[in-house]
Amino acid sequence: MSERPKHLFLERQSYRRRRLIDLIRMCPVIGAILWAVPLLWRTDGAEQISTSDAVVYVFLVWLGLVLMSAFLARALRDGGDADGDGS
């Protein structure tokens, strides 16, 4: 009487492509969280972080996001080419 649930099989390439797209969608969230980190830094006392250090941090995060986006876009494009070959 009880039927076994059908298992959904996803091809490895399709599964990896979907996870890569999920990671690309998370990039703005990751960037927003990383850009908010300087708001948690101390602004008074002996262990104060200078404004110039905060600006350098923000631009390094920006550069990291650009590089990560370029890498992920290339990986997504290369993965799409493999699907077109029938491999």
Side-chain angles (χ1 to χ4, degrees), residues 16-38:
R16 287 182 180 170
R17 183 176 174 88
R18 288 182 186 194
R19 296 300 73 83
L20 185 61
I21 291 171
D22 290 342
L23 182 59
I24 290 171
R25 288 180 181 161
M26 288 298 297
C27 282
V29 175
I30 293 168
I33 291 170
L34 288 175
W35 272 339
V37 168

Side-chain angles (χ1 to χ4, degrees), residues 71-86:
F71 173 75
L72 293 174
R74 179 174 289 234
L76 185 63
R77 184 191 67 198
D78 292 345
D81 290 344
D83 286 341
D85 293 341

Side-chain angles (χ1 to χ4, degrees), residues 1-74:
M1 288 191 168
S2 65
E3 295 181 23
R4 289 187 159 183
K6 294 182 180 180
H7 294 286
L8 179 62
F9 174 73
L10 297 175
E11 292 183 31
R12 183 174 293 178
Q13 193 70 12
S14 173
Y15 178 78
R16 287 182 180 170
R17 183 176 174 88
R18 288 182 186 194
R19 296 300 73 83
L20 185 61
I21 291 171
D22 290 342
L23 182 59
I24 290 171
R25 288 180 181 161
M26 288 298 297
C27 282
V29 175
I30 293 168
I33 291 170
L34 288 175
W35 272 339
V37 168
L39 296 174
L40 301 173
W41 292 347
R42 288 191 139 204
T43 58
D44 58 346
E47 298 177 10
Q48 179 179 355
I49 303 294
S50 66
T51 304
S52 60
D53 289 340
V55 171
V56 168
Y57 172 81
V58 167
F59 280 108
L60 286 176
V61 168
W62 173 78
L63 179 65
L65 287 171
V66 169
L67 293 175
M68 185 171 72
S69 298
F71 173 75
L72 293 174
R74 179 174 289 234

